[in-house]
Amino acid sequence: MSETRTSKKRSKSMVACLLAFAAATAADAPVVPEAAAGVTVTPAPATPAAASVLTARGEPRAVPRLPATEAEALRRAIDEARALDPRPFLTTAKLVDDAPATHARSRGRRAPVGLFLSKLGRDAGLPILERLAFDPPRDETASVVRRDLVEAVGLLRDTRAVPVLAAILEDETEDAETTRTAAEALARIGTDEAAAHLLTALDDARGERERAIVAGIGECRHLRVTEELARRLRSTTDDDLARAAARSLGRAGNAWAWRTLADRQEESRIRTTAARALVEAYVHHDGDVRVAASNALMVVDAPETPALIEEARRRATPAQRDALDALAMRFARNPTRLR
Amino acid sequence: MPRGARSTFVLALGLGLGACASDDGSGVRATPVVDLRADSNRDGEVRFDESDANKTEWNATVGAVFLANIDDDAQRCPRTFDDAKIALCNDAADDVVNGPDDALDLARLRTRPWPEAPPGTVGRVRVAPAAAKRLVRLFKRTGPGPTDFEAIDEESMFSAREIAAGIELAIEAKDIVRDRDAWDGYVDVTFSVTTRAKTHAEDTVRLRVAPVLTFHHLLPAEIVWMADNSAPSFQVTKEDIEASSIAAGVGPVRLLDVSDQWAQDYFEAAFMSMPAEGGRQHVIRVNYRSANMIGRTEEGVRLRPSGRVVFRMRGKDVAGVQEFDPDHGIAMDDLDSLGNFETVPPYEKDGVSFPFGRLLRGSTRAFYPDKRFMKMLDAQGLQPPIEIDTSWLFIGHVDETVSFVKAPTPRGWMLLVASPRLAEQMLEDAVRAGAGDTPMFVGKKWLDDATGHEVPAEATIAEVLADTQVMQASAEAAAEIDAQLEILKHELGLTEDEIIEVPFLHGIYRGMSIAYQPAMVNALYVSDTRLAAPDPHGPVIGGKDVFKAALEERLAAIGITVDWVEDWDAFHRFQGEVHCASNVTRRIPEARWWESGR
């Protein structure tokens, strides 16, 4: 229990530290106060209808609640980019406008439109942000296409998107899938600022919102984030949350992914932290949580895993020992390891 | 009395034995001849000798069969009803025999003639259990013509003259078994006779309605189906699939009456059968409509419109079936597509035989296909489902990771399984061999042509191996597929040498896995010796595409040639490949389901 408290305190203190840079804007009032639906950013949309998109339930939703200075800076950057080269804006617009048809054509009626958008490259970053922040899709597939936009800026790892994504993440009225997508986009951007926003949002999240953030956060390969995931995996009694946390720990410690990264300073500690929590989860859960923990341990492929299994085995019940033996055998022939 | 026969003869107690109680005034009671027969020995005929005398047992060697008469032999059903009504029209929807073909779908029963039946004798027929009463219809023959039948029920009465001549009955089920808790498909038909003297006797025969069975890959393809879609990129794929189909001797692709290009997903071909004369089977083909929903309105659920094709295909000896739970979570709807429905070929493990194979679906505790549809599949009883976890896949279908092909092995078939690990190994080996700059996906684009904005998909091997998303997703896929394999090995008894790894890497979208390279495992097994697989557009090293070569080499070892299909533009970019693009109707198996003991 005390460990939990300590971890939470540490996490909050780190959040404060990481967000220090934003102190100047912390008191920024939203530009246009609105009613309960939230606050829109400036400039005002061309029509009142443009001020909102539809939620998954078909209800109006405000565009992201950006601080005024952030909104103005983003607008300026967009205007300058358009003046310099309007083509990425036109291409992006066409892709976004075509998105409902693209989805309709796709298997499962869900196309990777965000992936397509990201393939346009960094030049598409501001055009996508413009649609996301100021001119969101408005038809009946708006919530789906909006998630495509969120996904795209995450795939582009465009740091200019952080304020917009953070605003979406922090909006507790967003549906779970949008929250998860925003968390994942921030996780991919992966800056200290993005990590801070993720931890802040996770701090008070409960239920479906907590599961959504936990599910999206795995690609944020910061030790603090991994430790928070490990803490939640240890403490939760919610199987769905445990499964999401196990998967995200696998993602954080994913050995194949780490091989592609330039900055690998925290790799070893993250993979070890993930592996330790996953072995514990494997012991204390069964069913699909245990399977998720086992799969995550395979992708993390931490060298310490056999020792962690052996350590767990010493304290295990006979049934747990049998399960741990099976895990040890699986790890010995790890399906992710090249032969 | 023969084993299993269950004739009863009851003297009406309480009546005196005086002349007034006799049937002919002689003072002697007539003993009713009550013998109801069906085709219990399954030779397609109903006889009164010993061959059909074992009437109330139902097992692998004895027991009569009848069909759910839900085809539309005379093609009377309109095609424009709404989703609720369209499935209700079929030959069993009314109580008339709709032509000679319809009459052939009825299983026959006969009563042994009792020429001495005294005047005033009456007969009746009833069915049990109670649950079967509303699902089974009986007819009696009324004349010599092929359609001279009249529907009867428990109130209907046979005259002494009919009883004397012997009565021909016919039986149909009005529906397939959908819920074994409600009705398990068995029915006991009882024929009873009562004389004027209240002497009563009855006889019972047991029948079972045929289950609906799906086709596995070892059965020869008879028709390869694709959607009727005019998009140029679709046509490219269609031409290649058609060429493979023709080369395999199956013939040109048949077009469905829909443009939805994902032909694998909205229907599943199946069949049901009963014994016919000469050792043949009388078959009604069945096409399941997927339980896919596209939304809800105030009027109710909106099912995927293309699924209606099963009712447009309905006709002589062809039926369409739909089943869905209107409350099924739409977020899990992808699992209802029938790409998430394969049939494992026949096998035996630990002395338990599955002669028609088993169903394979992606399903977990929290993420599962429509439960009513699953219950219906389970109710058929012969192909118990195996469930694997596909929740980590963006689309979530079993055909994204596994397939089955014939092989000259004791089992007779092998499993094809996606292998991101092998793909990674091959690319790492290429880098070590100095081929890291070799491009993949040459000439391919990511974006739809409609944007007019060309974004090349081309990437070198080294670039692919440096792609964090691809590497992350591929490692995850390797672990997840391994977990799927563990289940399949456990259920099927597969050994490592019965598994063929099919190399391709995965990517990630919305936190879930999608094929990054064309998924060669998502292929059309068009004949014993031909597999139509998506062109992987892999790196060409030493003059050959190493991914093509890897699959060709593995399949050549078991006598299978790969036909390469160009599907990048129409399918790969939209999360599907060749298997998703097609559907197959296969030959009815020679094996008789009623001999399976299930």
Side-chain angles (χ1 to χ4, degrees):
Chain A
M1 195 64 182
S2 61
E3 184 187 337
T4 305
R5 283 205 195 99
T6 309
S7 300
K8 192 162 182 178
K9 192 182 287 180
R10 270 199 222 116
S11 148
K12 283 200 166 190
S13 132
M14 181 202 51
V15 169
C17 172
L18 287 169
L19 283 178
F21 83 99
T25 59
D28 278 354
V31 178
V32 185
E34 295 279 343
V39 177
T40 59
V41 293
T42 53
T47 66
S52 66
V53 295
L54 299 179
T55 66
R57 299 183 197 90
E59 299 156 346
R61 172 193 307 297
V63 293
R65 185 197 298 245
L66 279 176
T69 52
E70 298 278 8
E72 283 160 14
L74 182 58
R75 172 51 76 190
R76 264 198 311 279
I78 288 167
D79 290 344
E80 285 167 12
R82 181 183 278 109
L84 211 58
D85 185 1
R87 286 174 302 175
F89 288 85
L90 297 173
T91 308
T92 301
K94 176 136 185 61
L95 268 173
V96 173
D97 292 345
D98 288 348
T102 309
H103 282 296
R105 180 183 180 184
S106 201
R107 199 178 197 198
R109 301 180 298 283
R110 293 186 303 161
V113 171
L115 189 65
F116 294 165
L117 283 164
S118 73
K119 298 293 182 189
L120 295 172
R122 187 172 162 76
D123 286 350
L126 286 171
I128 294 169
L129 280 173
E130 180 182 38
R131 296 302 299 264
L132 199 52
F134 304 124
D135 184 19
R138 284 181 283 274
D139 68 6
E140 68 272 13
T141 61
S143 58
V144 175
V145 179
R146 189 158 163 267
R147 287 196 287 270
D148 293 329
L149 299 169
V150 171
E151 179 96 15
V153 290
L155 287 168
L156 286 168
R157 295 182 166 77
D158 191 331
T159 53
R160 296 169 298 186
V162 170
V164 176
L165 294 173
I168 295 170
L169 180 68
E170 286 155 16
D171 183 347
E172 295 187 9
T173 67
E174 291 283 2
D175 62 80
E177 180 55 21
T178 302
T179 299
R180 194 208 61 76
T181 309
E184 187 175 66
L186 280 167
R188 282 180 181 149
I189 290 169
T191 59
D192 288 349
E193 181 192 0
H197 282 299
L198 287 166
L199 288 169
T200 302
L202 190 54
D203 208 28
D204 298 320
R206 295 291 176 269
E208 192 177 35
R209 180 170 161 76
E210 181 184 17
R211 287 193 292 273
I213 297 171
V214 164
I217 208 169
E219 288 189 50
C220 188
R221 296 186 173 91
H222 287 236
L223 182 59
R224 295 289 191 185
V225 172
T226 306
E227 286 172 342
E228 181 59 21
L229 279 171
R231 187 186 72 74
R232 289 189 186 242
L233 178 56
R234 284 192 183 98
S235 60
T236 187
T237 55
D238 172 353
D239 278 358
D240 291 333
L241 178 63
R243 193 161 179 253
R247 283 189 164 177
S248 282
L249 280 168
R251 208 155 269 185
N254 189 306
W256 290 19
W258 274 108
R259 288 207 300 266
T260 68
L261 300 177
D263 180 0
R264 301 177 66 170
Q265 279 188 8
E266 293 191 317
E267 176 184 355
S268 174
R269 292 172 68 192
I270 285 176
R271 288 171 64 194
T272 303
T273 301
R276 184 175 293 281
L278 289 165
V279 169
E280 289 173 24
Y282 182 89
V283 172
H284 296 299
H285 292 266
D286 56 13
D288 52 8
V289 179
R290 179 173 280 181
V291 172
S294 173
N295 287 345
L297 278 163
M298 299 304 122
V299 301
V300 172
D301 199 18
E304 302 83 359
T305 306
L308 292 169
I309 293 173
E310 187 51 39
E311 186 185 320
R313 207 176 173 284
R314 283 196 288 273
R315 298 187 302 269
T317 65
Q320 289 170 339
R321 272 202 294 277
D322 289 347
L324 283 164
D325 289 345
L327 179 65
M329 283 175 62
R330 189 180 187 209
F331 190 79
R333 58 153 196 88
N334 190 337
T336 72
R337 214 171 291 148
L338 303 187
R339 293 166 189 165
Chain B
M1 184 177 289
R3 182 171 57 90
R6 200 172 66 194
S7 265
T8 56
F9 172 65
V10 182
L11 276 178
L13 298 177
L15 291 175
L17 291 175
C20 65
S22 69
D23 293 302
D24 58 2
S26 67
V28 179
R29 289 175 185 276
T31 302
V33 172
V34 183
D35 186 0
L36 176 65
R37 297 291 179 104
D39 180 22
S40 296
N41 74 340
R42 303 160 174 171
D43 67 354
E45 294 182 48
V46 180
R47 296 192 181 88
F48 288 102
D49 58 20
E50 282 298 300
S51 63
D52 281 330
N54 189 350
K55 299 188 283 192
T56 56
E57 283 189 87
W58 210 107
N59 55 40
T61 57
V62 68
V65 176
F66 67 117
L67 292 174
N69 187 15
I70 55 171
D71 59 351
D72 180 22
D73 285 314
Q75 303 198 33
R76 300 168 306 114
C77 294
R79 299 176 173 207
T80 54
F81 276 141
D82 63 31
D83 281 338
K85 290 181 183 163
I86 197 167
L88 301 178
C89 181
N90 56 57
D91 283 346
D94 59 25
D95 59 3
V96 295
V97 174
N98 301 293
D101 290 327
D102 191 25
L104 293 175
D105 296 337
L106 309 177
R108 304 307 161 87
L109 303 94
R110 294 180 195 280
T111 68
R112 185 189 290 271
W114 181 28
E116 299 80 17
T121 299
V122 293
R124 290 180 197 273
V125 68
R126 67 174 189 273
V127 299
K133 290 182 195 297
R134 65 178 181 82
L135 292 165
V136 168
R137 180 180 290 116
L138 285 164
F139 296 88
K140 76 169 180 181
R141 181 176 279 288
T142 56
T147 62
D148 291 340
F149 286 91
E150 175 186 301
I152 57 173
D153 58 27
E154 293 186 5
E155 301 303 315
S156 304
M157 204 173 284
F158 305 115
S159 68
R161 208 173 73 183
E162 289 175 310
I163 294 167
I167 304 159
E168 180 179 343
L169 301 171
I171 185 171
E172 66 180 9
K174 300 178 199 173
D175 198 2
I176 63 169
V177 178
R178 293 180 190 246
D179 179 355
R180 293 182 90 166
D181 296 332
W183 179 44
D184 62 6
Y186 290 92
V187 60
D188 289 330
V189 180
T190 299
F191 174 57
S192 63
V193 170
T194 307
T195 66
R196 187 184 288 163
K198 304 301 179 194
T199 310
H200 180 86
E202 60 184 42
D203 190 28
T204 297
V205 64
R206 171 163 288 194
L207 300 97
R208 178 180 173 186
V209 71
V212 180
L213 302 175
T214 55
F215 297 102
H216 56 76
H217 279 190
L218 305 195
L219 296 165
E222 290 187 336
I223 303 170
V224 172
W225 300 96
M226 289 184 75
D228 189 0
N229 186 309
S230 60
S233 58
F234 180 93
Q235 289 299 316
V236 169
T237 303
K238 177 180 168 274
E239 281 171 20
D240 284 352
I241 290 178
E242 188 155 66
S244 179
S245 179
I246 290 170
V250 179
V253 162
R254 290 259 296 271
L255 298 182
L256 296 159
D257 187 16
V258 288
S259 61
D260 184 337
Q261 68 182 43
W262 307 102
Q264 183 62 221
D265 287 343
Y266 43 84
F267 80 100
E268 184 75 22
F271 71 98
M272 50 190 172
S273 64
M274 68 176 180
E277 285 182 28
R280 293 177 300 107
Q281 301 184 75
H282 181 68
V283 174
I284 292 181
R285 289 184 179 268
V286 178
N287 292 302
Y288 284 130
R289 178 186 193 172
S290 73
N292 286 124
M293 289 178 205
I294 58 168
R296 292 186 174 89
T297 64
E298 286 180 1
E299 289 78 41
V301 164
R302 288 177 66 212
L303 296 178
R304 185 177 189 167
S306 43
R308 287 185 174 204
V309 74
V310 305
F311 301 113
R312 290 200 282 276
M313 294 159 87
R314 186 167 49 189
K316 176 175 155 42
D317 294 334
V318 182
V321 167
Q322 72 181 25
E323 180 71 46
F324 61 93
D325 174 1
D327 297 323
H328 184 54
I330 213 151
M332 297 187 270
D333 186 63
D334 275 350
L335 296 181
D336 296 324
S337 293
L338 297 169
N340 186 34
F341 184 127
E342 288 299 303
T343 306
V344 176
Y347 72 97
E348 183 176 326
K349 179 172 180 273
D350 301 332
V352 181
S353 174
F354 299 93
F356 297 87
R358 293 179 69 179
L359 306 182
L360 178 64
R361 299 210 77 182
S363 181
T364 68
R365 170 188 59 82
F367 198 62
Y368 46 82
D370 185 295
K371 287 193 170 175
R372 276 179 58 170
F373 191 88
M374 288 298 287
K375 179 173 260 190
M376 176 184 72
L377 297 178
D378 201 33
Q380 308 314 307
L382 267 81
Q383 298 168 304
I386 300 169
E387 293 178 350
I388 56 177
D389 184 356
T390 56
S391 65
W392 53 280
L393 289 160
F394 183 61
I395 300 299
H397 296 178
V398 291
D399 73 351
E400 296 178 75
T401 55
V402 296
S403 187
F404 306 92
V405 292
K406 208 165 190 171
T409 62
R411 181 185 292 273
W413 54 270
M414 294 174 85
L415 175 75
L416 302 183
V417 63
S419 179
R421 185 208 57 78
L422 177 59
E424 164 83 355
Q425 181 84 63
M426 288 166 60
L427 295 178
E428 293 280 3
D429 289 348
V431 169
R432 274 193 288 277
D437 291 337
T438 308
M440 299 167 63
F441 312 145
V442 174
K444 299 291 109 187
K445 293 179 293 180
W446 282 119
L447 295 188
D448 199 298
D449 299 332
T451 64
H453 193 97
E454 295 197 358
V455 175
E458 188 173 312
T460 66
I461 292 174
E463 286 168 343
V464 170
L465 291 175
D467 186 321
T468 307
Q469 300 291 309
V470 171
M471 290 299 103
Q472 172 185 299
S474 296
E476 289 174 356
E480 297 283 358
I481 292 166
D482 182 69
Q484 292 182 337
L485 265 181
E486 282 306 298
I487 293 171
L488 292 173
K489 285 177 182 172
H490 174 75
E491 294 290 342
L492 310 177
L494 283 172
T495 57
E496 290 294 336
D497 58 5
E498 293 177 307
I499 297 168
I500 296 174
E501 289 185 277
V502 181
F504 59 92
L505 295 171
H506 277 239
I508 192 165
Y509 195 69
R510 291 279 167 78
M512 289 181 279
S513 204
I514 53 176
Y516 173 68
Q517 297 172 268
M520 296 187 292
V521 76
N522 190 278
L524 170 65
Y525 190 44
V526 70
S527 79
D528 288 354
T529 57
R530 300 196 95 91
L531 184 81
D535 187 330
H537 295 287
V540 176
I541 299 171
K544 60 183 181 184
D545 180 325
V546 295
F547 283 87
K548 280 185 179 176
L551 187 63
E552 285 172 349
E553 187 182 319
R554 284 166 168 78
L555 292 185
I558 55 172
I560 296 173
T561 302
V562 183
D563 294 325
W564 296 107
V565 176
E566 176 55 63
D567 79 345
W568 182 286
D569 286 349
F571 292 94
H572 177 64
R573 290 189 309 193
F574 298 96
Q575 291 85 241
E577 313 285 356
V578 173
H579 189 255
C580 316
S582 57
N583 211 319
V584 178
T585 297
R586 295 183 181 272
R587 186 182 298 168
I588 304 298
E590 286 301 315
R592 277 31 176 174
W593 67 264
W594 47 84
E595 294 171 356
S596 70
R598 289 186 172 273

